Structure formats: C-alpha cells, structure tokens
Amino acid sequence: MKVCHTLICFFLLFSLQDGNTGLVSAQHTVYSGIEGENVRVQCSFPSDRNRKFFCKETCEQKKDILIETYGAPAQSGRYRIDYKQKDLFVTITQLTKSDSGGYWCGVGSSLSTVSYEYIEIIVVDAKLVGDPSAEKTINARTRGSIVVVCSFTRSVTEIFFCKEECERDILVGTIYNILKKGRYSIRYLETSIKGFVIVSIEQLTQSDSGWYRCGLDRPDSNDLYQRFRLIVTDGLILYVSLTLVVLVIVSSLSVLVFCRKRICKAKSEEPEPRVETQNASAPDAEDDPSQPAYSEIQFVNVGSSQSGFHSDTERVIYSVPRVEASSVEPPLYSTVNNPQ
C-alpha cells in the first residue's frame, strides 16, 4: 500500500478511457487537502526515466504541464517535484478550491514511451474526525461553496447529509458512492480501515447558516455522525462595510491634514508682538515746584517756496519753560538747532 503524506488517501478501482485499447482497469488515488495548506502526492512507475512531469486534466497542451524536470528536483511556483528511485513526489502549496480536479503524473520523453498515473485532488474546507462533540465552525460567503470530509472507522453502504436535527431536513442521501441533488452533493470513499463521506454545498446563501450532520446508515440510527456549523456572511455587505471603514479613515486623515495646515497658516499670519517702551520723562513740575517744567517742541521742515526767502543760516527757536510765579531763579532758555 502507498504511504500517504496528506490528510486523506483513498484507493479505488476506476476505469480509464484509452483510445487504442478501450476500457482498462487502473488504480485511481484520491488525495485531500485543506484550503490554504499543502498536499503531497506520490506516483510510482515501473522504470526510472529521464523526463518527469506533472499536469492537470487532459495534459494535451503545453500549458497543461504544471512542472517538469529532466534531472534534479525542480520548483515552479507552488509546485515542486522530488523523486526517489521509481517514486515521483509532487507537492502543491497554498491550496485553493480551483486546485480540485484530476491530475496526471508522467515519465518519458515521447508519446510512445510516456507512462501515466492518474490521481485526484479534493480541496476541502474542513476535515471532521472523531466524536461528534468535536464540532467545527466553517465561515463562508454568499455565492461561494464549501466541501467537508467526514471520517469514520467503518464502512457501510448508506450515507446521508442533513441540517439541524435531521428529522425532516435530509438534504441528500444515497446507497451509492456519489449523488448530486441541486446545490448539495454527497460522495463516499473507503479504504480497508476507514470510510469517508464528502459533502458539499454550492451557491451559498445566508439561509444556509446553521448546523449540519454527515454520517453513515440512516439519520435516525444510533450510528455516530460528524457535526459542523456553517456561518454564511453576505459578501456584498462585507465589501460595503470595509469600503465605508476605509472612507472614514481617509476622510479623517484628510480633515486632520487640512486642520494642521490651517493652524500653521494662521500662526504664520499673526503680527509680530508689539514692544512697548516707556520713555523716561522729567518729573512733573506740578509735583515738584522747585523743578522747571519742559515743553515739547515738534519741528516741521518748511520749504523755501513757502517761506518766501532763501537762507542757509541756521534758524534758532527759543522756548520759554513754564515756571511758578514765585520762583526767584531767572528763567531758563533752551537753544534748539533745526536741521535742514
């Protein structure tokens, strides 16, 4: 038996269509990985050849080849090839839902010598294992889809998928390996020691939110089942909410920058503070009669055209200070030169 390095590895008999020989029986290996995580698949060939490649779906065109190498291990984006003797290992990182589908491992350089092995990869949102008390919550958006794998320790022929308490909300059930009913699908795969029920819901709506069960036999039996909770959020509302938050943040920053600019501008336009000086003056004559009082004289330059004469002689103006009548001292005169 192959050693699986992924969450789940199943072995089934599957019919492959060969255009030359008709229907042939071959081994179909199914791998499962959780979205956002990694998956590593293994392919074995009867002989070790130089060229090794890994492609998706039909592999008819060059673009279908995801990665190839002619010797040493190779890395191309999210894909990596390693090999050991006749075993080829391919690792895919950061799984997305679009990675689900059929793949081919191949060795050989020409059509006549190429050997293929077909595998299937299922990318799921959650893997449920153990007792139903180990409940799992899955968050999804409207118009999206979910895929859940439920693991059981024994195999049966009847499987079901239901909502809430499953009294009347049987979404899909079958005695076959796979069945699709509207937006719901159910699939059963098993190994020699385990059984796996894979359920999915497409085109999710908010009304799909609730508790779900996936299990074996019938929902009214005592068989164990797996239980998970689904929360569907309206993607449009979430987008609008995020947009509003971004707008509020941008608007707040704009207002802050505008206010800071206004404050800086207002500060730059403020006039220089006035510095008031007080000139010392002589004591007031009325306070001290013994001191003479001085009068303030203001000069105005008078042009020659107004004075009516021309003279370069300095003009002298006399001013008589105000003094008390009782003063015995002679009056004081001051001489002031008026510059031209």
Side-chain angles (χ1 to χ4, degrees):
M1 178 179 291
K2 294 183 180 180
V3 178
C4 296
H5 299 272
T6 56
L7 296 176
I8 305 170
C9 181
F10 310 103
F11 296 96
L12 301 173
L13 289 180
F14 188 78
S15 294
L16 297 179
Q17 180 68 41
D18 188 308
N20 298 322
T21 60
L23 292 176
V24 296
S25 179
Q27 192 178 63
H28 174 189
T29 309
V30 182
Y31 292 84
S32 178
I34 296 178
E35 186 174 22
E37 297 185 358
N38 305 338
V39 64
R40 189 169 188 245
V41 303
Q42 177 183 353
C43 303
S44 298
F45 298 95
S47 62
D48 184 16
R49 300 176 185 175
N50 188 33
R51 179 174 179 257
K52 302 170 179 65
F53 62 92
F54 185 68
C55 57
K56 189 174 183 180
E57 304 301 345
T58 60
C59 299
E60 294 178 350
Q61 300 181 16
K62 183 69 175 178
K63 66 178 183 180
D64 296 328
I65 298 179
L66 303 174
I67 186 172
E68 65 179 334
T69 181
Y70 286 85
Q75 179 83 36
S76 177
R78 298 187 299 122
Y79 306 95
R80 178 176 177 82
I81 283 184
D82 296 284
Y83 58 91
K84 183 178 181 181
Q85 295 179 350
K86 298 178 182 179
D87 292 328
L88 176 66
F89 301 94
V90 179
T91 302
I92 307 177
T93 61
Q94 294 297 312
L95 288 170
T96 65
K97 290 290 183 65
S98 61
D99 289 323
S100 295
Y103 293 82
W104 295 90
C105 294
V107 294
S109 301
S110 63
L111 293 177
S112 60
T113 60
V114 168
S115 297
Y116 292 97
E117 183 175 332
Y118 181 75
I119 64 172
E120 182 181 357
I121 296 177
I122 302 175
V123 181
V124 302
D125 294 272
K127 177 180 178 288
L128 307 181
V129 181
D131 190 86
S133 61
E135 298 169 345
K136 177 73 174 179
T137 298
I138 301 174
N139 294 286
R141 295 184 182 180
T142 54
R143 296 180 294 278
S145 63
I146 62 164
V147 182
V148 178
V149 174
C150 304
S151 176
F152 301 94
T153 56
R154 70 182 184 87
S155 61
V156 293
T157 57
E158 190 170 353
I159 54 178
F160 68 90
F161 180 40
C162 59
K163 188 175 182 181
E164 304 301 345
E165 297 303 323
C166 296
E167 295 178 355
R168 299 175 182 174
D169 298 323
I170 306 297
L171 303 175
V172 60
T174 182
I175 59 175
Y176 303 102
N177 288 338
I178 185 169
L179 179 66
K180 180 175 176 61
K181 182 180 179 182
R183 298 185 300 120
Y184 309 98
S185 65
I186 190 169
R187 182 179 180 183
Y188 180 70
L189 299 171
E190 69 176 23
T191 66
S192 59
I193 58 175
K194 280 190 177 183
F196 301 90
V197 177
I198 304 175
V199 297
S200 66
I201 307 175
E202 299 175 347
Q203 294 296 314
L204 291 169
T205 65
Q206 286 187 289
S207 62
D208 289 323
S209 298
W211 288 95
Y212 291 84
R213 295 183 185 181
C214 53
L216 308 177
D217 290 332
R218 299 179 305 277
D220 58 350
S221 68
N222 294 324
D223 290 326
L224 292 179
Y225 56 84
Q226 303 296 339
R227 190 167 182 244
F228 66 92
R229 183 186 182 190
L230 174 62
I231 300 177
V232 182
T233 305
D234 192 331
L236 180 59
I237 293 178
L238 180 62
Y239 175 78
V240 172
S241 301
L242 292 176
T243 303
L244 290 176
V245 170
V246 172
L247 288 176
V248 169
I249 295 175
V250 172
S251 300
S252 301
L253 292 176
S254 301
V255 172
L256 179 61
V257 172
F258 177 76
C259 291
R260 289 179 65 87
K261 288 184 177 180
R262 289 292 299 273
I263 293 174
C264 294
K265 183 178 180 181
K267 287 184 177 181
S268 64
E269 293 179 351
E270 289 182 357
E272 293 294 333
R274 298 179 59 186
V275 179
E276 297 183 356
T277 59
Q278 184 174 1
N279 295 326
S281 60
D284 195 344
E286 295 179 357
D287 296 335
D288 188 358
S290 64
Q291 297 296 329
Y294 295 90
S295 62
E296 182 179 355
I297 303 173
Q298 295 182 350
F299 298 94
V300 179
N301 292 326
V302 179
S304 58
S305 59
Q306 296 180 355
S307 60
F309 62 89
H310 298 277
S311 175
D312 294 333
T313 307
E314 294 183 349
R315 289 175 293 167
V316 179
I317 300 176
Y318 295 92
S319 173
V320 179
R322 292 181 290 107
V323 297
E324 296 292 333
S326 60
S327 176
V328 295
E329 295 180 1
L332 299 177
Y333 294 90
S334 60
T335 302
V336 180
N337 294 329
N338 181 26
Q340 297 298 319

